[in-house]
Amino acid sequence: MVKQTMNVTSVAASRQSAANLASERRRRTAEPPLRREERGALITELMVAMAILAMALFPLAFSFAQEAKFLRSCYNRAVATEIVDGEVEVLLAGEWRAFKEGAQDYAPHALAVTNLTSGKFQLTITNRRVRLEWLPSEKDQGGKVVREVTVK
């Protein structure tokens, strides 16, 4: 029994001495604290690096926003083109006879109209010419889409 107590004590003592050696080693290899001038230079260097990073990221973020706006505009134009083309085919099949001469609002049958931004479809019939156009209400929403045909 006595022998086991000595082993536990010697193990604890060896752990303590190892911890002291590691602590002493860290103390010897640790650099002294930075002087005031060195800290100021380090902060200045950090601020310059952050400014350079910000100058590079702001134009990049702006270009992403512009590209998203352009892509939405292209999408609106594509949807409006598909709707106008489909509706002109329906009008050419004889539906145009149900409308009077002159300009008037037109309600398309396509469900994709819900994907468009605000705007209106306008149908104009003059002397057997049928013109259907989509007119966006805001700028940069794809521009107007026009199809004009002569009916027989």
Side-chain angles (χ1 to χ4, degrees), residues 9-91:
T9 307
S10 64
V11 169
S14 67
R15 283 186 186 160
Q16 183 63 34
S17 66
N20 288 342
L21 283 174
S23 173
E24 184 63 31
R25 211 176 296 133
R26 273 191 302 245
R27 227 178 290 128
R28 274 189 259 142
T29 60
E31 296 179 15
L34 294 175
R35 293 188 314 237
R36 186 174 183 179
E37 297 83 21
E38 290 172 336
R39 284 192 304 247
L42 189 61
I43 290 174
T44 303
E45 195 173 317
L46 177 66
M47 295 303 289
V48 168
M50 287 174 59
I52 290 171
L53 187 63
M55 288 189 319
L57 289 181
F58 279 133
L60 191 61
F62 181 71
S63 75
F64 282 147
Q66 288 294 93
E67 189 170 339
K69 188 176 181 181
F70 175 70
L71 288 175
R72 183 64 185 172
S73 171
C74 289
Y75 175 78
N76 283 334
R77 184 164 185 82
V79 170
T81 301
E82 287 293 321
I83 292 171
V84 168
D85 286 344
E87 294 296 326
V88 165
E89 285 183 24
V90 170
L91 289 167

